[in-house]
Amino acid sequence: MSDTALRLAIVEIGRRLWMRGFVASNDGNISTRLGPDRLLMTPASVSKGFMTPEMMVVTDLDGRLVAGEPGRKPSSEILMHLVAYRERPDVGAVVHAHPPLSTGFAVAGIALDRAVLAEVVTTLGSIPIAAYGTPSTRELADTVAPYVKAHDGLLLANHGALALGKDLFGAYYKMETIEHFAQISLVARQLGREHLLSREEVERLQALRGRYGIAAPAPICPDPSPADADPSCQVVYAPSAPGERLVPDTSVASASSDLPRSIGTEGEIRLTYAQLTALIDEAVREIAATLKR
Ligand SMILES: [Zn+2]
């Protein structure tokens, strides 16, 4: 893509991020490689919904400003972008935004790492949460660094989401997938249960990546335990079940165990709030009657 085409692509992606409510005010930032030692990036302090091509700034891979309109500075999150390019030579573009549903998961501390949607398993694998770091500081770049090695999408604790791609639209589409996945995960959890793809099915899906031209991903960690997660593999919750494609969610180690476990378990009795209230009222009346006798 020419310099002009890249600038226009950033403007268009910024407009889509803003139109879809993935950013508010001046949130978010977008960058792409412009050459071996050059990045093209959104400037600081502009709404991503109202950018023009000439607003973009050019920096080197150390973040030094090389070109831009007078007074324009690179995005305040440039350090996080630089880490992504440094750790991942295959990455050509980075998109950061605060989409409300995925950011909600990031605030709740719930990673999007359960194997529930075939497309997500194929394109992104798992979406972990990088620990909180103060936005725009080296601290945030440092918390992100270990995850970008094996992930194209990640949540930033109490902040937002980050997507890496081979090119600008590749990174933007991954941001869409992260938010869509968060939306579906939230609905499934509100409905009270999630069926997981089996580990065998996840491996089958990941083997299909080549056929769809998706770059070879980081492998799945053999023993998913986030406490000692290996940064070179992906933690995916997908219980092994040879011969089965879908398995009931029996994971207790996942973050969703924060949800009431009675929901969706076998043999439970489900009551509406009104039914429960009626039962309690009845019990209170019975106790009162017993006491009177
Ligand atoms: Zn941000």
Side-chain angles (χ1 to χ4, degrees), residues 122 203-217:
T122 312
E203 282 162 2
R204 199 174 299 132
L205 287 167
Q206 296 204 334
L208 291 175
R209 281 172 161 164
R211 193 189 295 178
Y212 300 119
I214 297 166

Side-chain angles (χ1 to χ4, degrees), residues 60-148:
D60 65 16
L61 285 180
D62 292 317
R64 281 183 291 260
L65 185 66
V66 173
E69 290 180 330
R72 294 271 182 225
K73 287 190 297 189
S75 161
S76 57
E77 292 295 8
I78 185 171
L79 294 174
M80 183 167 70
H81 289 243
L82 295 176
V83 153
Y85 292 113
R86 202 169 294 141
E87 298 287 343
R88 291 279 300 276
D90 61 310
V91 160
V94 177
V95 172
H96 164 58
H98 305 165
L101 293 157
S102 29
T103 305
F105 276 81
V107 168
I110 301 174
L112 292 167
D113 58 0
R114 322 189 97 208
V116 290
L117 292 176
E119 283 79 4
V120 176
V121 166
T122 312
T123 55
L124 281 163
S126 80
I127 302 157
I129 306 181
Y132 180 77
T134 306
S136 83
T137 65
R138 163 69 51 198
E139 185 188 31
L140 177 60
D142 289 346
T143 65
V144 159
Y147 291 96
V148 299

